[in-house]
Amino acid sequence: MYKVILDTDIGDDIDDAFALGLLLKSNLVDLLAITTVFKNTTARAKQAKALVDIANKDIPVFVGEVYPLNGKITGFQMDQGDLATIIPCQYDSTMDNLKVNENAVDAIIRLAKENSGELIVIAIGAMTNVARAIQKDPSIAKDIKAIYQMGGWFTNFVPEWNIICDPEACDVVYKANIPVYATGLDVTLQCPLDGSLLDNLRKSDDAITKTIFVWLDRWFDYFHFEKSILHDPLCITSLLDENVLKFSPKYVKVVLEGEKRAAMLVSEVPQEGYNLINVATEVNKDLFFEIIGKNFA
């Protein structure tokens, strides 16, 4: 049984909701807590709590860091108003009175200590909460068993969104020498939710699936994307089934300045300033979509 914290920016892209749904359904996971990160983390926490309640689970949800380490929030083109308080597009008023907890950073530290050597952090948003926890108590680097990250693009020198949101935080985490398993756009872009799978899941009577599809349609209406890429669920399934992704060790450096800020420098051999992480290089798409189909049908 994996002891897990999910650190998420649920509410913008719909793939976070699918990722949380997978964890709520899995009998391989003891989901100890959910923490939210980036922009309106209170609204994000309440949305996560809504799905937890639908699953009839007793899992605490903690409000995390609003601002990245440098204090400057990156917004979407269509965002209006204060980026720190903007309501995520999937949120609705039924979530307003849901009770959530404060201080995700302290929760991460406490759970790392209570589950030393066993805790897995799944980070599917910016790395701000995890970085703040490491900065506040560097000793947790020895307590965390692994970090499963959705972020980066390791075969293309182009910034990816989760890294853009807080590249300094990602740099802090990579330097902490915690085993990192990074699922980047190299593999996730091969996994869209479309075609017959999308049509079949829309017909599901499962309560979690039906709720996610309500949120998916709000997301479609807001961003006008043609389809969802299942970035975050692919990260989750890499933990649940080791046959979904193949990981290879790479030496990686996060670019922190210039026009390529948040892109990844990658080397096959050690270099000064580079950190060793495990990067997803191959995906078994058939197995992945089979897992998605079985969990959300």
Side-chain angles (χ1 to χ4, degrees):
M1 182 75 73
Y2 298 112
K3 294 187 176 183
V4 168
I5 293 174
L6 178 67
D7 190 59
T8 174
D9 59 350
I10 192 170
D12 293 330
D13 198 336
I14 192 59
D15 60 331
D16 290 78
F18 277 107
L20 175 54
L22 277 175
L23 291 175
L24 291 172
K25 289 171 173 287
S26 176
N27 59 9
L28 300 175
V29 169
D30 181 5
L31 185 54
L32 302 176
I34 301 161
T35 56
T36 57
V37 69
F38 191 64
K39 298 202 294 192
N40 193 332
T41 50
T42 298
R44 296 192 195 285
K46 291 183 177 183
Q47 183 179 343
K49 183 65 164 62
L51 204 61
V52 169
D53 287 352
I54 289 168
N56 293 314
K57 302 275 186 164
D58 183 19
I59 299 166
V61 183
F62 295 88
V63 176
E65 297 293 295
V66 173
Y67 293 93
L69 295 190
N70 71 358
K72 300 176 182 178
I73 298 179
T74 300
F76 300 115
Q77 184 177 4
M78 65 284 292
D79 284 342
Q80 301 288 328
D82 181 1
L83 295 179
T85 59
I86 191 168
I87 302 297
C89 65
Q90 298 164 40
Y91 189 90
D92 67 60
S93 60
T94 65
M95 305 169 190
D96 287 348
N97 295 323
L98 296 178
K99 302 300 182 184
V100 293
N101 305 284
E102 298 298 324
N103 211 327
V105 170
D106 284 349
I108 291 170
I109 294 170
R110 174 177 57 80
L111 290 168
K113 291 299 180 184
E114 291 176 356
N115 301 276
S116 182
E118 296 183 273
L119 182 67
I120 295 173
V121 177
I122 302 177
I124 56 175
M127 287 279 212
T128 316
N129 287 333
V130 184
R132 289 289 190 201
I134 292 169
Q135 290 176 330
K136 188 170 184 178
D137 186 348
S139 72
I140 67 168
K142 296 180 180 179
D143 297 309
I144 297 174
K145 181 179 181 179
I147 294 173
Y148 280 70
Q149 174 196 23
M150 190 282 124
W153 200 348
F154 300 93
T155 57
N156 193 2
F157 193 47
V158 175
E160 180 274 329
W161 175 253
N162 282 348
I163 312 302
I164 289 172
C165 293
D166 199 342
E168 284 80 12
C170 187
D171 185 56
V172 167
V173 173
Y174 284 3
K175 288 178 177 176
N177 293 318
I178 301 167
V180 172
Y181 295 84
T183 302
L185 297 186
D186 323 82
V187 288
T188 65
L189 289 175
Q190 301 177 51
C191 299
L193 176 60
D194 57 11
S196 60
L197 178 59
L198 176 64
D199 293 340
N200 289 338
L201 295 186
R202 275 197 179 276
K203 301 172 186 176
S204 173
D205 289 326
D206 176 76
I208 290 176
T209 305
K210 289 172 70 174
T211 299
I212 291 174
F213 269 82
V214 170
W215 297 349
L216 181 143
D217 287 333
R218 293 174 186 167
W219 174 77
F220 275 145
D221 289 343
Y222 189 76
F223 285 99
H224 305 294
F225 291 134
E226 294 182 0
K227 57 187 174 183
S228 171
I229 307 296
L230 296 179
H231 307 282
D232 297 337
L234 185 58
C235 177
I236 301 296
T237 57
S238 73
L239 173 64
L240 302 180
D241 190 326
E242 63 181 11
N243 296 307
V244 172
L245 287 178
K246 177 182 177 181
F247 289 91
S248 299
K250 306 285 183 183
Y251 295 90
V252 175
K253 182 178 181 179
V254 185
V255 177
L256 299 179
E257 297 180 351
E259 64 179 17
K260 290 294 186 177
R261 173 176 161 81
M264 298 292 188
L265 292 166
V266 181
S267 173
E268 300 294 330
V269 297
Q271 292 196 49
E272 184 177 354
Y274 286 58
N275 302 283
L276 181 62
I277 67 170
N278 302 287
V279 173
T281 55
E282 296 179 24
V283 56
N284 184 333
K285 292 185 288 184
D286 291 341
L287 177 57
F288 172 66
F289 286 125
E290 179 183 336
I291 292 170
I292 294 298
K294 286 181 177 179
N295 277 276
F296 294 103

